[in-house]
Amino acid sequence: MSDAYPHLFAPMDFGFVTLRNRVMMGSMHTGLEDRFWNYPKLAAYFAERARGGAGLIVTGGISVNRRGWLLPAGGTMNTAGDVANHRKVCEAVHREGGRIAMQLMHAGRYGYHPFSESASATKARINPFRPKEMSVERVWEVIGDFARAATLAREAGYDGVEVMGSEGYLLNQFLCKRVNQRTDEFGGDIHGRMKLGVEVVKAIRRAVGERFLVMYRLSMLDLVEGGNTSEEIIATAQALEASGVSLLNTGVGWHESNIPTIVTSVPRAAFRVATAMVKRAVKIPVVASNRINTPEVAEDIIASGDADMVSMARPLLADAFWANKAQAGKADEINTCIGCNQACLDHTFAAKRSSCLVNPRACYETELVYTPVAQRKKIAVVGAGMAGLSAATVAAERGHEVWLFEAAEDIGGQFVMAANVPGKEEFKETIRYFRGLLERTGVKVKLGHRVTKGELDRAEGGAFDAVIVATGVKARVPSIEGIGHAKVLSYVDVLREKKPVGAKVAVIGAGGIGIDVCEFLLADESPQSLASWTRQWGVDLESRAPGGLVAPEPVKAKREVFLLQRKRGKMGAGPGKTTGWVHRRALEHHGVTMLGGVEYVKIDDAGLHIRADGAARLLAVDNVILCAGQTSVREIVTVDDKGRPTDKRYHLIGGADVASELDAKRAIKQGAELAASL
Ligand code: NAP
Ligand code: SF4
């Protein structure tokens, strides 16, 4: 038991197995599970999370047959070879005292290949492949495949399985009228539509016996048209309970939903109401999920009776030792997941190995290793933005003497501005984490100190053995007539200096920062309350209407904003696949006018003069805000014609190295990799 979070760290006893706490590492595809040669890396990744105290780990989705693949040649559980590979993973987790369940899935019409199959032959908007309608015989075959995969999982040493019944995958497709247009025993009313899921559970139970965890991830809020109502969700939960499920996990939304479910701007624990609704209707334990990232929130969900356990996938990617730190009362030492998706889900959807923006070791546990140093060096890091903070703390953790110089009065660099953007409040957690880590690793921090090259070369107590230049970027000032006009501001003036901004505004540049500035100028509250979020997106958390969808309330915009770029095509194409659409839609809710293919002519008292589609146009705005990208700041170092430092002791990282397409993911990773090599 933990004094700090007594409910979260109470064990959960199933009679045949006891979970040491209520912290579940939820399923997340990493890319490592798809290739057998990556299984030692997968084992190391999960073993670290088991060592870090997670009560139960769930693997990424493993298909029960080939037609159920999400991507061609994805991880499958149907041969003796698969059992041998997975045994390595289970053994590694058990050696660390952890428990692990395999997620069994069938992608149905989300399968990105021509052999996909589903309840009906309806195509998903997000997938070019049309599925084949499954015959009744085929449905029974698939039920058998789930049972066989569960038996093999038990043979490999898993403590249980999770049946993936949500997020719009096959079992969810059968469960909802949206996809299920069948008139046979597996279609029709909710009892027919739930039959596949119920029979899967019964078949698994028959195959594995009573002493094995069978978890079911049930969609408790579909967030799509043709989704289920609360009565249908509850009836399904009760039928699953009666069929032998040990615990029910929460699924929220389908991958094709138009409503965000996990990005930073979704309020923390937004969906606990949906979980609580099911919990009240069943006796088996229920797990809450989505946008739960701190022990305070997790504890409150369990203590209030809304759920018995919490599932966190990304937070345990961000910090493998999340549970141990919370249990020891050291929550302030947790490297908190900021919900950015940039290194996890955006990688998954680009078929790249997942990692984590704030923890580049995630899924690279055997490759990015911070070994203690044999010879202590004296290292200077110039710049306390994300690149510098990452380099300084990794170097110090390894045992080097590290000095960190920062011209500003505080750490964080560009990230401080991001943290000021409504919907990105979580970014403050990363600054809090690094602030503590600097102290714990003994980095000597000099804030408000613009260090000179002379100082670095004549340091007190001897020169530095290595100098890491992480001096970042400065805003690019485009050459437009009238750019010096008083109504022109930079994004730094707005986001950091908080200079006053008028009621009618033009934003030049529709990259990540242009969008951030729009959100900053339009938001009424920060963070957004759950009530306002559900009104804006049209969500009924208790699914009184099918799918939990209601008409969104129009947002009353407090400013008129024009977002501009010179390129034609999609605005704000920069931010990742899983987040870009959320930002674009939020701007649409606020009535932002987005103009591409724009030529900037001049700025004067009347406003911003542009040419769009060949026609001259005046945007009569009070302010023009520049978000036109950045250039590197690296005056402190002399570079050769290839941009490499001429003095071999110097190293360039982050925006000081390359300004274009800089983001915190590259900065933190580059800083950590350099510091791991010194
Ligand atoms: P960016 O993404 O490179 O966008 C710069 C914008 O400025 C573009 O829209 C570009 O569009 C415009 N531009 C460039 N040169 C210009 C010029 N000379 N005159 C007028 N317009 C010009 O840069 P950013 O928005 O500053 O963001 C910096 C980095 O941080 C990016 O890598 C970004 O992905 C990252 N970031 C990410 C997020 C996120 O949520 N994931 C949020 C913020 C920042 P045109 O050239 O078409 O005009
Ligand atoms: Fe969380 Fe971002 Fe890391 Fe993904 S990349 S785990 S969302 S912090």
Side-chain angles (χ1 to χ4, degrees):
M1 286 278 275
S2 157
D3 290 344
Y5 309 103
H7 296 85
L8 186 59
F9 288 96
M12 189 182 274
D13 186 6
F14 288 88
F16 54 91
V17 66
T18 302
L19 305 181
R20 57 188 163 189
N21 57 47
R22 313 297 178 98
V23 177
M24 182 172 114
M25 180 175 185
S27 173
M28 186 156 144
H29 195 85
T30 63
L32 292 173
E33 52 284 270
D34 293 334
R35 302 288 174 266
F36 70 87
W37 54 86
N38 282 331
Y39 272 62
K41 290 178 189 156
L42 188 64
Y45 160 70
F46 283 135
E48 192 152 312
R49 272 77 197 162
R51 192 157 57 251
L56 177 65
I57 291 170
V58 186
T59 67
I62 304 287
S63 302
V64 297
N65 57 35
R66 292 177 182 202
R67 279 186 179 271
W69 279 339
L70 186 55
L71 291 166
T76 319
M77 190 59 160
N78 53 14
T79 67
D82 295 331
V83 172
N85 290 327
H86 281 278
R87 193 166 283 137
K88 292 179 200 138
V89 173
C90 295
E91 284 170 1
V93 168
H94 290 153
R95 264 198 303 276
E96 301 294 348
R99 298 284 181 185
I100 184 161
M102 173 184 274
Q103 189 188 72
L104 301 179
M105 63 105 69
H106 185 306
R109 71 175 192 164
Y110 284 169
Y112 211 79
H113 52 78
F115 313 108
S116 63
E117 57 186 2
S118 185
S120 304
T122 62
K123 206 179 78 57
R125 154 181 86 74
I126 56 172
N127 191 343
F129 296 101
R130 183 174 294 281
K132 186 170 179 266
E133 179 173 321
M134 292 162 74
S135 66
V136 169
E137 295 70 37
R138 176 64 191 155
V139 177
W140 284 107
E141 254 172 53
V142 169
I143 292 168
D145 291 342
F146 269 94
R148 187 195 48 205
T151 312
L152 295 176
R154 193 186 53 170
E155 210 177 306
Y158 281 100
D159 300 287
V161 289
E162 175 179 66
V163 177
M164 179 36 136
S166 63
E167 322 307 295
Y169 290 115
L170 183 76
L171 272 52
N172 207 174
Q173 291 160 25
F174 267 80
L175 196 60
C176 295
K177 290 183 198 141
R178 179 179 184 78
V179 180
N180 191 339
Q181 292 153 12
R182 305 172 75 99
T183 50
D184 59 21
E185 61 193 291
F186 290 101
D189 68 7
I190 187 62
H191 299 286
R193 300 199 309 271
M194 74 168 76
K195 183 167 176 174
L196 171 57
V198 166
E199 292 298 335
V200 161
V201 171
K202 285 183 185 166
I204 290 177
R205 218 9 120 206
R206 276 195 302 273
V208 298
E210 292 303 313
R211 301 176 67 77
F212 194 64
L213 284 176
V214 179
M215 177 159 60
Y216 193 99
R217 190 156 188 207
L218 174 67
S219 187
M220 300 192 190
L221 179 64
D222 287 310
L223 298 180
V224 284
E225 282 172 24
N228 283 336
T229 59
S230 54
E231 289 79 23
E232 292 169 319
I233 295 164
I234 287 170
T236 310
Q238 289 170 337
L240 290 168
E241 176 177 36
S243 308
V245 162
S246 326
L247 67 168
L248 275 174
N249 189 10
T250 303
V252 180
W254 291 36
H255 286 314
E256 63 204 83
S257 299
N258 286 327
I259 302 203
T261 55
I262 56 170
V263 300
T264 321
S265 55
V266 175
R268 283 178 178 172
F271 306 107
R272 62 190 290 178
V273 172
T275 307
M277 175 187 82
V278 170
K279 168 135 177 73
R280 285 193 298 272
V282 296
K283 293 189 187 63
I284 49 174
V286 178
V287 187
S289 175
N290 288 46
R291 284 293 287 125
I292 302 165
N293 62 347
T294 68
E296 289 73 22
V297 172
E299 171 72 12
D300 185 57
I301 288 172
I302 301 175
S304 65
D306 285 354
D308 303 281
M309 194 168 191
V310 289
S311 169
M312 291 170 286
R314 299 175 301 163
L316 271 73
L317 203 66
D319 195 331
F321 295 88
W322 191 103
N324 283 353
K325 289 177 184 176
Q327 188 164 20
K330 295 181 178 173
D332 59 326
E333 294 186 14
I334 290 174
N335 193 3
T336 306
C337 164
I338 58 172
C340 66
N341 288 355
Q342 280 175 251
C344 52
L345 290 177
D346 284 346
H347 280 208
T348 306
F349 286 105
K352 281 160 57 178
R353 191 194 315 182
S354 293
S355 188
C356 172
L357 179 142
V358 300
N359 172 21
R361 286 195 69 248
C363 297
Y364 289 81
E365 285 75 12
T366 58
E367 293 147 276
L368 182 55
V369 183
Y370 305 152
T371 44
V373 291
Q375 200 187 350
R376 192 165 204 245
K377 291 180 185 162
K378 184 172 174 180
I379 296 177
V381 178
V382 187
M386 287 299 121
L389 289 170
S390 172
T393 51
V394 171
E397 186 183 323
R398 294 184 57 223
H400 290 307
E401 177 188 337
V402 180
W403 293 70
L404 176 61
F405 301 97
E406 168 56 53
E409 294 299 330
D410 203 358
I411 64 168
Q414 299 269 309
F415 218 67
V416 175
M417 283 184 274
N420 284 338
V421 174
K424 288 193 167 176
E425 296 82 7
E426 295 284 3
F427 285 45
K428 293 191 178 82
E429 301 289 351
T430 306
I431 298 169
R432 181 260 310 147
Y433 169 73
F434 273 120
R435 202 186 302 287
L437 194 58
L438 286 172
E439 210 177 303
R440 294 195 296 280
T441 53
V443 175
K444 299 172 203 307
V445 182
K446 299 278 169 205
L447 295 176
H449 184 87
R450 189 174 291 280
V451 72
T452 62
K453 190 158 186 340
E455 274 177 88
L456 291 170
D457 292 341
R458 295 182 300 277
E460 204 181 302
F464 289 99
D465 300 304
V467 177
I468 300 176
V469 178
T471 37
V473 291
K474 62 178 179 223
R476 178 187 288 127
V477 180
S479 62
I480 302 171
E481 188 185 330
I483 196 76
H485 194 281
K487 65 173 59 180
V488 177
L489 299 171
S490 80
Y491 67 85
V492 181
D493 293 326
V494 176
L495 295 179
R496 190 162 66 205
E497 309 301 329
K498 311 259 175 81
K499 289 198 177 160
V501 176
K504 203 167 170 184
V505 181
V507 175
I508 289 187
I513 292 181
I515 288 178
D516 278 357
V517 164
C518 291
E519 299 205 42
F520 180 85
L521 294 174
L522 292 164
D524 282 321
E525 49 179 356
S526 172
Q528 188 174 20
S529 67
L530 183 57
S532 140
W533 183 87
T534 51
R535 281 198 303 272
Q536 181 185 337
W537 289 93
V539 174
D540 170 17
L541 294 166
E542 289 186 86
S543 295
R544 280 162 290 219
L549 295 183
V550 290
E553 272 182 27
V555 178
K556 201 165 164 295
K558 64 181 192 194
R559 281 194 175 87
E560 186 178 356
V561 176
F562 297 87
L563 177 63
L564 312 171
Q565 70 178 19
R566 297 172 303 176
K567 284 186 285 294
R568 293 192 178 276
K570 209 192 274 182
M571 307 290 287
K577 185 166 178 140
T578 59
T579 51
W581 68 271
V582 184
H583 294 298
R584 278 192 296 277
R585 204 145 294 161
L587 298 192
E588 283 161 18
H589 290 160
H590 283 90
V592 171
T593 306
M594 302 187 214
L595 296 174
V598 165
E599 188 190 326
Y600 306 112
V601 179
K602 67 172 177 179
I603 300 161
D604 60 18
D605 289 347
L608 173 63
H609 300 258
I610 60 169
R611 290 189 75 77
D613 294 326
R617 186 170 168 189
L618 168 66
L619 305 180
V621 293
D622 306 311
N623 289 107
V624 175
I625 301 171
L626 303 177
C627 305
Q630 293 93 10
T631 53
S632 296
V633 175
R634 55 184 184 203
E635 284 76 29
I636 203 159
V637 57
T638 314
V639 294
D640 64 16
D641 51 3
K642 292 200 175 77
R644 288 181 307 224
T646 49
D647 183 336
K648 294 291 165 243
R649 289 177 308 141
Y650 280 68
H651 305 268
L652 273 168
I653 59 169
D657 179 24
V658 180
S660 72
E661 291 178 22
L662 171 70
D663 60 22
K665 178 177 76 172
R666 169 155 66 82
I668 292 177
K669 182 166 187 282
Q670 199 183 10
E673 286 176 348
L674 172 66
S677 71
L678 290 174

